Amino acid sequence: MVRNKTVRKAVIPVAGNGTRFLPATKAMPKEMLTIVDRPVVQYALDEAREAGIEHVVFVTSRNKQVIEDHFDDTPELISSLERSGKNDKVSELGRLLPAAGSVSFTRQQAPLGLGHAVWCARDLIGDEPFALLLPDMISFGPRGCLAGLMELYGEVGGNVVGVEQCAPEDASQYGIVGKGAPVRHGFAVTHMVEKPKAGEAPSNLFLNGRYILQPEVFGHLARQQRGAGNEIQLTDSMLELSRSQPFHAHPYEGRTYDCGSKHGFIEANVAFALARPDIGGAVYESLRDMMSSHEGRIRAA
């Protein structure tokens, strides 16, 4: 029987090496790269808090101490800002600081994949359903994607995933779900396929890095054999879990930017900058001028 306990905790895996962003990530975690003026990982935490999550578990690895420092208090910096009269900055940092005891950190000692990273959080999550946010995938819209998943979970319980539409010809690049019976905030998932072959995808709805999972997934992860890339794949254990528990999907009304790719990272910076009332106008004018000056070269390429 699938329980419908309240989702209080979330897992945010931040153990990846960020090799696609070398040399920028040689000495700095990829999760600390900034979208405008906030690190990528801050957006994930803010989305979790917006959705009502009470405790966040970060799964880290070596050389990620700066992430812990980012979510800690900085009395020296605060004092300096107060002396300089920058009280607006003091207030902003205060709003972003997690409440004492509301975040935990655990280590993934070896890079064995997303499924293994999630499994590393098992003792901190315990026998509870939990949210999972992949920090590279940043939600852009009126609200974060996880809030919609929480609404759907409150309606149907079980396991819930976030999805978005992609071009049908791009479905082979993603994890794709099959669409079943509709419910108020989404639909039942009939099956999940990781990177289906061209023309064999059950839909064009892809998994966008937001999940609510029941704790039984940890048992499947513990037994899971290594899959693609010689890593323990989360999707494989989700498929096993789906044989005994229902999965539903919530279509996100905004857009998710994949900041694990250079293209998506630049897109996210542009989108968030344009949405900012303090800099959006100036950024728009700069982009318009750049597009005009580069138009001929881009067309020729």
Side-chain angles (χ1 to χ4, degrees), residues 190-202:
T190 57
H191 53 293
M192 293 174 279
V193 184
E194 186 65 31
K195 296 184 179 180
K197 294 180 180 179
E200 297 184 5

Side-chain angles (χ1 to χ4, degrees), residues 1-2 28 33 38-39 46 48 53 96 99 108 129 139 144 184 197 215 223 226 239 241 268:
M1 179 178 178
V2 181
M28 179 174 67
L33 297 175
R38 296 188 185 187
D46 291 346
I53 294 297
L96 296 177
Q108 181 187 27
S139 300
R184 183 180 176 191
K197 294 180 180 179
R223 299 185 296 270
R226 297 192 190 191
L239 285 168
L241 185 61

